[in-house]
Coordinates of all heavy atoms in Angstrom, one line a residue:
Y782 N 50.6 -10.5 23.2 CA 50.7 -11.9 23.2 C 50.7 -12.3 24.7 O 51.1 -11.5 25.6 CB 52.0 -12.4 22.6 CG 52.1 -11.8 21.2 CD1 52.8 -10.7 20.9 CD2 51.5 -12.5 20.1 CE1 53.0 -10.2 19.6 CE2 51.6 -12.0 18.8 CZ 52.4 -10.9 18.6 OH 52.5 -10.4 17.3
L783 N 50.3 -13.5 25.0 CA 50.4 -14.1 26.4 C 51.0 -15.5 26.2 O 50.3 -16.4 25.7 CB 49.1 -14.1 27.0 CG 49.1 -14.6 28.5 CD1 49.8 -13.5 29.3 CD2 47.7 -14.8 29.0
Q784 N 52.2 -15.6 26.6 CA 52.8 -16.9 26.7 C 52.6 -17.5 28.0 O 52.9 -17.0 29.1 CB 54.4 -16.8 26.5 CG 55.2 -18.2 26.5 CD 54.8 -19.1 25.4 OE1 54.7 -18.6 24.3 NE2 54.6 -20.3 25.8
M785 N 51.9 -18.7 28.0 CA 51.5 -19.4 29.2 C 52.3 -20.7 29.3 O 52.1 -21.6 28.5 CB 50.0 -19.6 29.2 CG 49.2 -18.4 28.9 SD 47.4 -18.7 29.1 CE 47.1 -19.7 27.7
N786 N 53.0 -20.8 30.3 CA 53.8 -22.0 30.6 C 53.4 -22.7 31.9 O 52.8 -22.0 32.7 CB 55.3 -21.7 30.7 CG 55.8 -21.1 29.4 OD1 55.4 -21.5 28.3 ND2 56.9 -20.3 29.4
S787 N 53.8 -23.9 32.1 CA 53.4 -24.7 33.3 C 52.0 -24.5 33.6 O 51.6 -24.2 34.8 CB 54.3 -24.1 34.5 OG 55.7 -24.2 34.2
L788 N 51.1 -24.7 32.7 CA 49.6 -24.5 32.9 C 49.1 -25.5 33.9 O 49.6 -26.7 34.0 CB 48.9 -24.7 31.5 CG 49.0 -23.4 30.6 CD1 48.7 -23.8 29.2 CD2 48.1 -22.3 31.2
K789 N 48.1 -25.0 34.6 CA 47.5 -25.8 35.7 C 46.0 -25.9 35.4 O 45.4 -25.1 34.7 CB 47.6 -25.1 37.0 CG 49.1 -24.8 37.5 CD 49.1 -24.1 38.8 CE 50.6 -23.8 39.2 NZ 50.6 -22.9 40.4
P790 N 45.3 -26.9 35.8 CA 43.9 -27.0 35.7 C 43.1 -25.8 36.1 O 42.1 -25.4 35.4 CB 43.5 -28.2 36.4 CG 44.7 -29.1 36.5 CD 45.8 -28.1 36.5
E791 N 43.5 -25.1 37.1 CA 42.9 -23.9 37.5 C 43.0 -22.7 36.6 O 42.4 -21.7 36.8 CB 43.3 -23.5 39.0 CG 44.8 -23.4 39.1 CD 45.4 -24.7 39.8 OE1 44.9 -25.8 39.3 OE2 46.2 -24.6 40.7
D792 N 43.9 -22.9 35.6 CA 44.0 -21.8 34.5 C 42.9 -21.9 33.5 O 42.8 -21.1 32.6 CB 45.3 -21.9 33.8 CG 46.5 -21.6 34.8 OD1 46.4 -20.6 35.5 OD2 47.6 -22.3 34.7
T793 N 42.1 -23.0 33.5 CA 41.1 -23.2 32.6 C 40.0 -22.1 32.7 O 39.5 -21.8 33.8 CB 40.3 -24.6 32.9 OG1 41.2 -25.6 32.6 CG2 39.1 -24.8 32.0
A794 N 39.7 -21.5 31.6 CA 38.9 -20.3 31.6 C 38.7 -19.8 30.1 O 39.4 -20.3 29.3 CB 39.4 -19.2 32.4
V795 N 37.8 -18.8 30.0 CA 37.7 -18.1 28.6 C 38.6 -16.9 28.9 O 38.5 -16.1 29.8 CB 36.3 -17.7 28.3 CG1 36.4 -16.8 27.0 CG2 35.4 -18.9 28.1
Y796 N 39.6 -16.7 28.0 CA 40.5 -15.6 28.1 C 40.1 -14.6 27.1 O 39.9 -14.8 25.9 CB 41.9 -16.2 27.7 CG 42.6 -16.9 28.9 CD1 42.1 -18.1 29.3 CD2 43.6 -16.4 29.6 CE1 42.6 -18.8 30.3 CE2 44.2 -17.0 30.7 CZ 43.7 -18.3 31.0 OH 44.2 -18.9 32.1
Y797 N 40.0 -13.3 27.6 CA 39.6 -12.1 26.8 C 40.7 -11.1 26.7 O 41.5 -10.9 27.6 CB 38.4 -11.5 27.5 CG 37.1 -12.3 27.6 CD1 36.9 -13.1 28.7 CD2 36.2 -12.3 26.6 CE1 35.7 -13.9 28.8 CE2 35.0 -13.0 26.7 CZ 34.8 -13.8 27.8 OH 33.7 -14.6 27.9
C798 N 40.8 -10.6 25.5 CA 41.8 -9.5 25.3 C 41.1 -8.2 25.4 O 39.9 -8.0 25.0 CB 42.4 -9.6 23.9 SG 43.6 -8.4 23.5
N799 N 41.7 -7.2 25.9 CA 41.2 -5.9 26.1 C 42.1 -4.8 25.6 O 43.4 -4.9 25.9 CB 40.9 -5.6 27.7 CG 40.5 -4.2 27.9 OD1 41.3 -3.3 28.3 ND2 39.2 -3.9 27.7
A800 N 41.6 -3.9 24.9 CA 42.5 -2.7 24.4 C 41.8 -1.5 24.9 O 40.6 -1.2 24.8 CB 42.5 -2.8 23.0
Q801 N 42.6 -0.6 25.4 CA 42.1 0.6 26.0 C 42.8 1.9 25.4 O 44.0 1.9 25.2 CB 42.4 0.7 27.5 CG 41.6 -0.3 28.3 CD 41.5 0.1 29.8 OE1 41.8 1.1 30.2 NE2 41.0 -0.9 30.6
T802 N 41.9 2.9 24.9 CA 42.4 4.1 24.5 C 41.9 5.2 25.5 O 41.2 4.8 26.5 CB 41.9 4.4 23.0 OG1 40.6 4.7 23.1 CG2 42.2 3.2 22.1
I803 N 42.1 6.4 25.2 CA 41.7 7.4 26.0 C 40.1 7.5 26.0 O 39.5 8.0 26.9 CB 42.3 8.8 25.7 CG1 42.1 9.8 26.8 CG2 41.8 9.3 24.3 CD1 42.8 11.1 26.6
R804 N 39.6 7.0 24.9 CA 38.1 7.1 24.7 C 37.3 5.9 25.0 O 36.1 5.9 25.3 CB 37.9 7.5 23.3 CG 38.4 8.9 22.9 CD 37.9 9.2 21.4 NE 38.4 10.5 21.0 CZ 39.6 10.8 20.5 NH1 40.5 9.9 20.5 NH2 39.9 12.0 20.2
L805 N 37.9 4.8 24.9 CA 37.1 3.5 25.0 C 37.9 2.3 25.5 O 39.2 2.3 25.6 CB 36.5 3.2 23.6 CG 37.4 2.9 22.5 CD1 38.0 1.5 22.4 CD2 36.7 3.2 21.1
S806 N 37.2 1.3 25.9 CA 37.7 0.0 26.3 C 37.1 -1.0 25.4 O 35.8 -1.2 25.5 CB 37.4 -0.2 27.8 OG 37.9 -1.5 28.2
A807 N 37.8 -1.8 24.6 CA 37.2 -2.7 23.7 C 37.7 -4.2 24.1 O 38.8 -4.4 24.5 CB 37.8 -2.4 22.3

């Protein structure tokens, strides 16, 4: 989870989640 407080206009973006194992990055 990502709790985002006090957001600013410069936080505008597409946010991507990444999961890494020993074998891959998804």
Side-chain angles (χ1 to χ4, degrees):
Y782 308 96
L783 187 67
Q784 178 65 43
M785 305 185 294
N786 298 328
S787 302
L788 282 160
K789 304 175 181 180
E791 50 264 43
D792 294 317
T793 295
V795 178
Y796 283 69
Y797 295 91
C798 180
N799 174 264
Q801 293 198 12
T802 71
I803 194 171
R804 294 182 179 85
L805 59 83
S806 177

